[in-house]
Amino acid sequence: KHKLVRQAGANITPEAAVFDSKSRLLYLGRVDDSHPSWTQSRPATRHDLRDALDAALAGRPVPQPRTKAVGCYISPLPNESTKDSTR
């Protein structure tokens, strides 16, 4: 139902989100910088998700809370209110 997609504000796959224990969004963005564009791939030099997780677990602010992910847009789901809610 895209609940976490909406909660994080994610638009791209793959796009990572890190929340704290109070459901506050700490990080949203790329996993690393290995795909700077659709046509480029290289070994990662920045590990943004790892850095965000390390900071969150240490109780520090995430050094870069937003980064730009490269990938496919997440399509919206059909309106769930028109479906059978017992599923």
Side-chain angles (χ1 to χ4, degrees):
K1 294 184 181 182
H2 284 185
K3 181 179 178 183
L4 292 175
V5 169
R6 286 190 306 275
Q7 185 176 351
N11 295 304
I12 302 287
T13 183
E15 192 168 31
V18 176
F19 293 90
D20 68 8
S21 61
K22 296 179 182 173
S23 298
R24 293 179 295 210
L25 181 63
L26 302 177
Y27 175 75
L28 179 64
R30 65 189 183 191
V31 173
D32 58 37
D33 67 349
S34 62
H35 290 87
S37 74
W38 276 96
T39 59
Q40 290 181 302
S41 179
R42 63 180 184 211
T45 59
R46 294 195 49 146
H47 301 276
D48 305 286
L49 177 57
R50 183 186 321 154
D51 294 345
L53 289 169
D54 287 346
L57 290 171
R60 297 186 318 263
V62 173
Q64 190 170 359
R66 300 289 183 279
T67 58
K68 185 177 182 338
V70 174
C72 298
Y73 284 100
I74 299 171
S75 298
L77 292 176
N79 186 344
E80 291 294 326
S81 64
T82 61
K83 292 185 178 180
D84 180 3
S85 62
T86 61
R87 285 191 226 170

